[in-house]
Amino acid sequence: MSELATAQTIPALLAERSTLGDHPAVIDQGHTISYRELFEQVEAVAKSYWAGGVRRGDRVAVWAPNRTECILAFLGAQYLGAAVVPLNTRYTGREAAEILARSGASVLVLTDEFLGLGLSRKLREATEQADAPALTALTTIVTMDDVAAEGCRTWADFLADGADVPGDVLAAAAAAVSPDDIVDILFTSGTTGQPKGVMSAQRQTIGVAHAWALGADLAATDRYCIVNPIFHGFGYKAGLIASLIAGATMYPIPVFNTDDVLTLIERERITVLPGVPTIFTSLIDHPNLADFDLSSLRFAIAGATAAPDSLFHDMVNILGFSRVAQAYGLTECVVATMSRPGEDLAHASQTTGPAVANIEIRIAGAEGEILPVGGEGEILLRGDNVMLGYFEDPEATSAAFDADGWFHTGDVGCLDEHGCLKITDRIKDMFIVGGFNVYPAEVENTLRRHPAVNESAVIGIEDARMGSVGRAYVALLREADPKPTAEDITAFCRTRLAGFKVPKEIVFVDDFPRNATGKILKSDLRAAV
């Protein structure tokens, strides 16, 4: 029906895809938006941002689940050349406030109705704390809901703001957007626990999505169930933007529910369903799986965390996918490798494929030497779609790249004789819970704020459902009275950290295994698991 789009900016991409006319772009809760209507609605949202003072180079934060308004909030800001700052819906108010302050976002679009989370209330309560970050740049909060919460404007009122913005003003703003303009800043906590904003240019986010669409053979005939959160690079770049590039039909799913997804697959003849392994194991384990017609399923990637050895076989032979692949990426380069078309299933389950177009991979030894085939070392990346750098953090940016422009991922792997990458370990302590990165330093910094905690060490341990979960080893102050229980420590973390970051297990210890300099040996803690 159509080839992959060639545009290098979001406004040009939307204009190119508007020629698909009545072809469905988004189907959300039974409501269909065509590609022509999507273009018109994005322009309307862009006008409203413009009326509120948003200009090229500004930042707009979006704190919402997968839904039509979330898509429009992203694209409307990017249409003007503003950068989107996605916020995880699981964030606490404090976590969201810190990123809003760091990014200098002038507008925040959110929803309060999602799972009753009351996101605006959480943010308001967080900013009322004595040590809260100052949100000096934030001028407008828009809710996607019909009723405005305190300090918010409704989506309808927001859209009305742009009604008087002239079309030629909007056209000029869109025409001024450059492929090199920053299109998104995805914040990810680092080894220090301080959030770092990963910056990508318009051309880079489109390039990442193009590589994914090409590797997935994505086409306008595909019906893509986007269950991965759009606030995450997987759902955003490999989902939303990749679908636009191919002209595919998107089905945004705000919450994964096995019955609902199985019903959707059968009713809408879903063809593409990527996700973390937990999604597929949940579908496979559904007691009434045989009652659903899943014959439309064509392509899946089980990524973002470790997969059970049998999963790929079960996805093909039980769920009926005609092709299952792996990919490797991280926030700094969302799609670096991808399984080859026609790949042997056993090989695809063990490797993440070769480098995608315009990306180079090198395996480096301890002294920085290039290792041969089979040599295990740090994975280095270089190419067009590797991030521009960390937002307002030149020191961290400089530390991430070497003199030759290679980005040091902190992941350990090797290349086989086919050039396919196998991930074997992580240099950094980061682990992945249900597809979301957890950095122990951030959790440990939070634990340190507990008045009874002297020291802690957090590691990831295997979990059948989530892939990994956190275990916190905690040493209490000797004078602590009363001494908190594991439940007390967990409750303390829940008020300060997103749920997926909260350790599942708390283990109290008198001391830790240490090296000669006194550093905690997490390798010994892991070995004891």
Side-chain angles (χ1 to χ4, degrees), residues 275-281 284 301-315 324-327 345 348-352 423 426 432 435 462-468:
V276 296
T278 304
I279 288 174
F280 303 110
T281 55
I284 290 166
I301 278 185
T305 187
D309 291 340
S310 61
L311 181 61
F312 277 29
H313 179 274
D314 291 344
M315 289 172 69
V324 178
Q326 282 208 68
L345 190 61
S349 67
Q350 295 299 315
T351 70
T352 66
I423 311 298
R426 292 188 181 275
I432 302 174
E462 291 187 5
D463 182 81
R465 189 173 72 88
M466 302 303 292
S468 299

Side-chain angles (χ1 to χ4, degrees), residues 264-287:
L264 181 71
I265 293 169
E266 180 177 62
R267 185 183 70 239
E268 299 295 330
R269 309 302 295 155
I270 296 298
T271 61
V272 177
L273 174 61
V276 296
T278 304
I279 288 174
F280 303 110
T281 55
S282 297
L283 295 177
I284 290 166
D285 292 341
H286 193 281

